[in-house]
Amino acid sequence: MFANFQDSTSASPEYREFMEEYDKMRTYSAQVSHIIVLIKTLDKESPQLIPLYIQAVEAHLCAINACRRMVTIYEQIFEKYWNNFHA
């Protein structure tokens, strides 16, 4: 579905790092989705609910951190190419 960014030898290190963070964000987001589906299938009084909610929140925070890192990398890439273009 997605191109394998690691096979691209012409990609900049910043771009590869951006794509690695993107992949992390997708992975953690998928984990959250799977956990939420599992939570919805369980009985409301199941002892498994609290640990699953904790897992979902932890995965969600990891996805947010990966997204924040992506924005930081994007800003660096933008600034680098902006400066190169206007130099």
Side-chain angles (χ1 to χ4, degrees):
M1 182 192 315
F2 291 98
N4 187 350
F5 62 88
Q6 293 173 342
D7 290 341
S8 178
T9 57
S10 63
S12 70
E14 296 92 351
Y15 179 76
R16 285 193 296 271
E17 186 179 5
F18 178 87
M19 292 307 296
E20 287 169 5
E21 292 300 321
Y22 175 75
D23 192 46
K24 287 179 193 176
M25 185 191 67
R26 283 186 37 233
T27 300
Y28 286 122
S29 296
Q31 285 177 1
V32 172
S33 294
H34 293 305
I35 293 169
I36 296 300
V37 167
L38 180 59
I39 287 171
K40 288 181 178 183
T41 64
L42 292 175
D43 183 28
K44 296 293 180 203
E45 296 181 21
S46 173
Q48 297 173 317
L49 281 179
I50 299 298
L52 286 173
Y53 276 116
I54 291 169
Q55 263 187 311
V57 169
E58 288 173 347
H60 182 69
L61 291 173
C62 289
I64 289 171
N65 287 334
C67 186
R68 290 176 65 190
R69 181 73 181 126
M70 283 173 47
V71 170
T72 301
I73 296 166
Y74 181 82
E75 289 172 345
Q76 292 170 352
I77 292 171
F78 182 83
E79 184 177 324
K80 175 182 174 181
Y81 289 101
W82 180 265
N83 291 338
N84 285 342
F85 182 72
H86 292 298

